[in-house]
């Protein structure tokens, strides 16, 4: 099977590397508008060949869209126009808008909207990893609108990656990821800005930074080209969660201001409830 | 050398295990008011014997205070009253108050205020680890007020743990840790509460939680008995940083509300600056 990966970065690159090594695909064609990434992807053995979008779609059986989500929604109608019997899937972090765009197309049954729940704070082909997705969840949205053979093939892709598949409505997906992914990135970006803003003696402070700080601020290395479009597309849900998060932080602030240490203790003990869920 | 550890939890336990294995101490005496922890510490080989505070201080050469910071400040004058030539040090996350308490005592030269920059979200003797502190920084505060032999011995302790020592004024220490440790815990607690508050379909959501979420929320498992006293003692600095953090989050909120995606991108790129500091 010949796979085209559009957007050869962290996600697309990791997908290509793993599927090729596992033998599910025999050839990987890369499409990327960044010449540096094209060259890196060839050099790192992530893709066998670079082609234009049209050429690539025509030469492959399976097409993965792994671009930022704003690019994905622009490309999808063009790709669906170009295909015949091929299968197309995306790997973006928001699902409602792309599902609606697909619905408007006559070949919508060939498109499988998905979101593998894996990523790192790094980007570009050099960030790609083999076996990256293993043991994580992959979400497949609105499967009832997808042709049976297309769904089966994409399920096979995620099974090959070692992921377990969750089926979910796109609207619900976007709400859930606002909670377990998008807000984490915003708090991490804001935390980095807080520290960078206020702390001038950076040498002293960062020698003190222990594992806890690194862990909460790690996601702040994530890149804007990927995250701005995600926040744009999921604006309403992200704002809901962000408002709640600010109001939770204000509770801590008020406890400190009023020296209400009993309530502070209650807040912390409530937060400890996350242990029930994350082992 | 005989070591007394007061408070046999994550920090005190890890200290005892490592110093004994490295051969710096021949015997470890444990002091803890929790009978379950006493028993666990004996069973896990963390301490050789449990004694009362008075007995333990009299029977040892070096005394480590590894209790929550509110207990440490209460115990310190009693311990200094009890010692003769022994050396006492604490390992707490706030330093200004304990330094001031020490100053008021005639034997203040025997007390070394320190803070090893390591911890995990777990607590109790069962959380103790050998080699836990390795390659991290240990802060020693206000060394000019400490007797030379006492300072040397505590430096030897941290060198034995494989840590590098930073010397710092206690007031400055408390400002720095508000940025690189205390605020991370507050954001993590608040994030856990946000998610636990708003998300009712917990099964669905937490299957989606990927590494990023786990990383930002990990510290929310930390225990209230340790953290409430830290926040109490470092209230002013923590409030400063928390106010700045809330105002940084409000910038993200305002960008989303106004769909000012250029400024959102600037905020993220600024946050990426953390890469310069954390590799």
């Amino acid at each position: 099977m010949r796979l085209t990966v559009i957007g050869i970065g962290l996600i697309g690159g990791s997908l290509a590397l793993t599927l090729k090594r596992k033998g599910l695909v025999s050839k990987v064609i890369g499409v990327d508008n960044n010449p540096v990434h094209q060259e890196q992807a060839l050099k790192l053995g992530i893709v066998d060949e670079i082609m234009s979008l049209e050429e690539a779609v025509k030469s492959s059986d399976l097409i993965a869209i792994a671009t930022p989500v704003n690019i994905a929604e622009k490309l999808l109608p063009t790709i669906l126009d170009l295909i015949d019997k091929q299968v197309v899937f995306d790997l973006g972090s928001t699902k409602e808008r792309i599902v609606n765009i697909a619905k408007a197309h006559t070949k919508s049954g060939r498109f499988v909207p998905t979101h593998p729940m894996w990523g790192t704070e790094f980007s570009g082909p050099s960030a790609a990893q083999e076996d990256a997705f293993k043991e994580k969840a992959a979400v497949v949205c609105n499967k009832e609108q997808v042709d049976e053979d297309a769904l089966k093939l994409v399920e096979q892709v995620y099974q090959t990656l070692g992921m377990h598949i969750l089926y979910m409505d796109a609207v619900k997906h976007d709400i859930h990821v606002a909670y377990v992914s998008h807000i984490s990135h915003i708090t991490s970006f804001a935390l980095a800005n807080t520290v960078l803003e206020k702390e001038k003696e950076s040498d002293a402070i960062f020698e003190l930074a222990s594992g806890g700080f690194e862990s909460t601020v790690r996601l702040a290395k994530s890149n804007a080209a990927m995250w701005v479009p995600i926040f744009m597309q999921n604006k309403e849900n992200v704002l809901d969660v962000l408002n709640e998060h600010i109001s939770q932080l204000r509770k801590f602030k008020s406890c400190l201001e009023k020296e209400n240490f009993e309530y502070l203790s209650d807040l912390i003990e409530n937060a400890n409830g996350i242990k029930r869920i994350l082992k």
Side-chain angles (χ1 to χ4, degrees), chain A residues 25-263:
Chain A
V25 307
S26 52
K27 181 177 180 175
V28 178
I29 302 163
V31 177
D32 203 298
N33 62 4
N34 180 336
V36 176
H37 285 185
Q38 290 177 5
E39 210 172 298
Q40 284 182 337
L42 283 167
K43 211 172 153 186
L44 293 165
I46 294 171
V47 302
D48 300 302
E49 209 174 329
I50 296 287
M51 291 187 186
S52 70
L53 180 66
E54 187 169 348
E55 214 185 348
V57 170
K58 298 278 182 203
S59 316
S60 56
D61 310 292
L62 177 65
I63 296 129
I65 310 177
T67 63
V69 293
N70 58 327
I71 313 289
E73 69 175 30
K74 274 185 208 138
L75 291 179
L76 182 62
T78 313
I79 296 166
L80 291 178
D81 286 345
L82 287 169
I83 60 164
D84 175 27
K85 280 280 162 215
Q86 294 104 305
V87 173
V88 184
F89 70 112
D90 84 314
L91 302 94
S93 299
T94 49
K95 296 268 71 77
E96 188 181 354
R97 278 177 52 158
I98 203 151
V99 159
N100 289 336
I101 287 167
K103 271 185 198 164
H105 199 284
T106 50
K107 293 184 213 153
S108 68
R110 310 308 300 158
F111 172 65
V112 191
T114 81
H115 180 201
M117 300 303 299
W118 176 83
T120 76
E121 65 275 31
F122 305 110
S123 52
S126 60
Q129 301 175 17
E130 262 190 43
D131 272 340
F133 303 91
K134 220 162 123 180
E135 285 164 28
K136 304 288 179 191
V139 180
V140 171
C141 287
N142 301 47
K143 68 168 175 166
E144 57 289 351
Q145 286 145 40
V146 176
D147 293 349
E148 210 173 309
D149 68 305
L151 181 63
K152 277 227 168 102
L153 181 57
V154 172
E155 287 171 341
Q156 200 188 347
V157 164
Y158 285 119
Q159 281 150 5
T160 304
L161 297 177
M163 304 186 86
H164 56 279
I165 299 170
L166 302 176
Y167 300 94
M168 202 177 284
D169 172 71
V171 174
K172 225 168 214 176
H173 166 275
D174 286 6
I175 296 172
H176 288 335
V177 291
Y179 283 97
V180 294
S181 167
H182 302 176
I183 189 69
S184 289
H185 284 80
I186 289 185
T187 56
S188 200
F189 289 132
L191 188 60
N193 285 343
T194 303
V195 175
L196 293 167
E197 174 69 27
K198 294 265 272 187
E199 181 66 39
K200 304 304 172 197
E201 299 167 73
S202 59
D203 287 354
I205 196 179
F206 293 111
E207 279 209 76
L208 292 187
S210 57
F213 179 71
E214 284 192 45
S215 149
T216 45
V217 93
R218 175 171 75 78
L219 299 178
K221 301 175 186 171
S222 305
N223 94 344
M226 171 172 172
W227 281 96
V228 170
I230 291 173
F231 296 144
M232 279 170 69
Q233 291 199 3
N234 207 17
K235 192 189 113 172
E236 296 303 335
N237 293 321
V238 171
L239 271 174
D240 274 356
V241 187
L242 183 52
N243 282 327
E244 175 63 27
H245 183 53
I246 291 173
S247 104
Q248 290 291 344
L249 282 169
R250 295 179 76 93
K251 289 185 193 173
F252 280 86
K253 176 175 140 92
S254 155
C255 282
L256 287 170
E257 282 169 346
K258 295 180 186 152
E259 306 204 342
N260 186 346
F261 299 121
E262 213 169 302
Y263 186 40

